[in-house]
Amino acid sequence: MSKSEIGLLGLGTMGAALASNIADNGFDIAVFNRTTQVTRDFKAAAGALSNRITATETLADFVASLASPRAIILMVPAGDPVDSQIAALRPLLDDDDLIIDAGNANFHDTNRRASEAGDKPFLGIGVSGGEEGARFGPSIMGGGKKQSWDRVAHVLTAIAAKHDDTACATWMGEAGAGHFVKAVHNGIEYADMQMIAEVYGILRDGMGLDNAAIAKVFDRWNAGALSSYLIGISARVAEARDSDTGNPVLDIIVDAAGQKGTGRWTAIEAQHLGAPVPAIEAAVAARNLSAARDLRRIGEDMFGAAPRALDGALTIDQLEQALIAGKIICYAQGFQMISAASDQFGWDLPLPEIAKVWRAGCIIRSVMLDDMATALTDAPDKNLMFSSIFADALKANHEAMRQVVAQAAMHGLAVPALSSGLAYFDSMRTHRGTANMLQGQRDYFGRHGFERLDREGRGFHGPWAD
Ligand code: 6PG
């Protein structure tokens, strides 16, 4: 029997979709899953693709069915399962066989695995787009040795989403670079989703729109500057009805958000890097707050329900403008964080290419990314907010964002990510800030010293030192 060009281990939702995508693009693929029945079911359901799929039932058969040097994609849950699978595979592999971790790994783990692999080829690739993306074209962010990437680039670019004719699959740099970029993608995803949810709250509680009307608003926005996957699916979620009861699905979904951790990793890593991403941090905190439903009920009983009708204080157009400004700010924070990591970790992360790889296939795809790629090509080190195109957009929209945040505050509608985004914008346009007070306080209680505006040097102390 002829050997398969590539192998995939782990036929969960994402693994099965990715394996089908690979077969669909004309590559022979061998698959293996710990539970054999899953492998059999996958092959049986593959239809016309099944002649490209070799279903194997032992790890040894799986490895033996692959052409050398082998390339094996791992699609198992992030964390310990990845290490266990690598440990189980290594004794069966040759030194030049390539292992590719395509799960949502923490990039620190990918760095460690790359170093443990030594000279043995290892890639960590971030794959975005959910099940549909995995099946029909994800966005792929690769990390590891460039020569390892080059070995499988033809497969990865073939299965990736295409923007015009450009494949959304790019090598980002060594070791954990791909998973790092994927983590920031998810941080932006969290912030973008949270801002949309906040605006949904204003439409629902502040303006009294029903779900069908909210879906129409999102659909209209999706035809303009906000056009993006997340706005599109928000319209679909808002209009959907429960097949059992006929009620709007949104009205029966519990208001407590789950999270697998990637957004949290972004916030934590941003703190380590000293790279401010407050809108992303606010979004992570908002998910945590959402989970505290019992406490929130106690709070509502104690203080009274907060959301109050806006009575015409805001227009739907202002909400759209606020989201436009908010979205730019989320991405600006994410790209600044990537730039900081590139410096600190000695990567040469290609900022314009990252904007390009997010243009199709991934969850944060949006019409704005084309302009972001251009802005980052022109001035990769500049905060995206200061590029001419996005500066103009912010000038046109930040007053509406301010109105939305102010009116939301006045009416008890919580908008943590929008507020935080606005505070970031205002901080970034204020040359004379307020940290002189912090420095004075630090020096007062700890003789930490400060710099002076009127003299060169550092380590000055205030009169309290005497
Ligand atoms: C993607 C998604 C995907 C997934 C994450 C985030 O890019 O396709 O980010 O990776 O949705 O698991 O999910 P949580 O919301 O559970 O953190």
Side-chain angles (χ1 to χ4, degrees), residues 78-433:
D80 293 343
V82 177
D83 291 308
S84 313
Q85 278 305 339
I86 293 173
L89 273 170
R90 279 289 182 213
L92 305 173
L93 298 181
D94 297 326
D95 283 355
D96 56 353
D97 290 343
L98 167 62
I99 295 180
I100 306 162
D101 175 16
N104 257 336
N106 183 314
F107 82 98
H108 289 296
D109 286 338
T110 308
N111 281 341
R112 171 181 54 78
R113 288 172 190 137
S115 110
E116 285 167 2
D119 290 335
K120 300 187 187 96
F122 179 80
L123 289 175
I125 63 171
V127 177
S128 176
E131 182 182 6
E132 195 192 335
R135 176 64 185 86
F136 298 107
S139 165
I140 299 176
M141 296 143 259
K145 294 217 165 63
K146 179 71 165 58
Q147 58 269 36
S148 302
W149 171 264
D150 289 342
R151 265 171 63 177
V152 284
H154 63 293
V155 179
L156 299 177
T157 51
I159 65 167
K162 309 288 179 304
H163 177 84
D164 298 332
D165 286 333
T166 309
C168 293
T170 302
W171 179 75
M172 300 294 167
E174 298 283 320
H179 277 138
F180 174 81
V181 173
K182 174 63 170 54
V184 179
H185 165 285
N186 280 37
I188 296 171
E189 172 184 306
Y190 273 47
D192 203 348
M193 291 168 72
Q194 175 63 27
M195 286 185 181
I196 294 171
E198 290 171 11
V199 166
Y200 154 71
I202 297 176
L203 290 167
R204 184 189 70 182
D205 300 328
M207 297 184 171
L209 267 60
D210 65 16
N211 292 292
I214 291 172
K216 285 207 182 87
V217 170
F218 285 144
D219 269 334
R220 200 172 73 239
W221 291 351
N222 205 28
L226 284 177
S227 176
S228 59
Y229 174 73
L230 284 171
I231 289 283
I233 64 163
S234 302
R236 302 288 73 76
V237 170
E239 76 183 355
R241 287 189 172 268
D242 176 42
S243 44
D244 286 345
T245 60
N247 293 328
V249 177
L250 253 187
D251 293 350
I252 55 172
I253 300 179
V254 172
D255 55 328
Q259 52 183 316
K260 295 213 188 78
T262 40
R264 187 189 311 137
W265 294 341
T266 311
I268 292 169
E269 204 52 46
Q271 292 287 349
H272 286 304
L273 287 165
V277 294
I280 295 173
E281 288 166 8
V284 176
R287 285 204 192 189
N288 294 335
L289 260 175
S290 79
R293 285 187 80 224
D294 292 344
L295 262 183
R296 289 190 283 115
R297 179 190 296 274
I298 294 171
E300 181 167 322
D301 290 345
M302 187 171 291
F303 300 111
R308 292 200 310 273
L310 285 165
D311 293 328
L314 286 175
T315 66
I316 287 180
D317 286 350
Q318 283 175 310
L319 294 180
E320 181 183 22
Q321 289 184 281
L323 268 188
I324 293 171
K327 199 176 183 74
I328 295 168
I329 291 166
C330 294
Y331 281 79
Q333 293 179 6
F335 278 110
Q336 284 260 279
M337 176 174 172
I338 291 172
S339 173
S342 194
D343 292 345
Q344 283 202 35
F345 300 143
W347 287 327
D348 193 12
L349 295 172
L351 269 67
E353 297 310 311
I354 294 170
K356 285 183 194 163
V357 91
W358 290 344
R359 287 181 302 185
C362 70
I363 302 293
I364 62 168
R365 61 188 185 260
S366 120
V367 285
M368 285 188 197
L369 278 159
D370 236 351
D371 286 335
M372 290 184 183
T374 309
L376 292 163
T377 305
D378 295 346
D381 295 332
K382 234 192 204 167
N383 187 304
L384 212 48
M385 298 197 312
F386 302 153
S387 67
S388 59
I389 181 157
F390 292 107
D392 286 348
L394 284 169
K395 283 177 194 166
N397 294 303
H398 79 88
E399 280 305 338
M401 187 183 197
R402 193 173 308 288
Q403 283 302 322
V404 168
V405 169
Q407 291 299 334
M410 292 302 294
H411 291 82
L413 294 145
V415 289
L418 285 168
S419 315
S420 158
L422 180 64
Y424 175 84
F425 171 76
D426 283 335
S427 301
M428 292 294 279
R429 65 193 292 228
T430 301
H431 188 216
R432 177 69 173 153

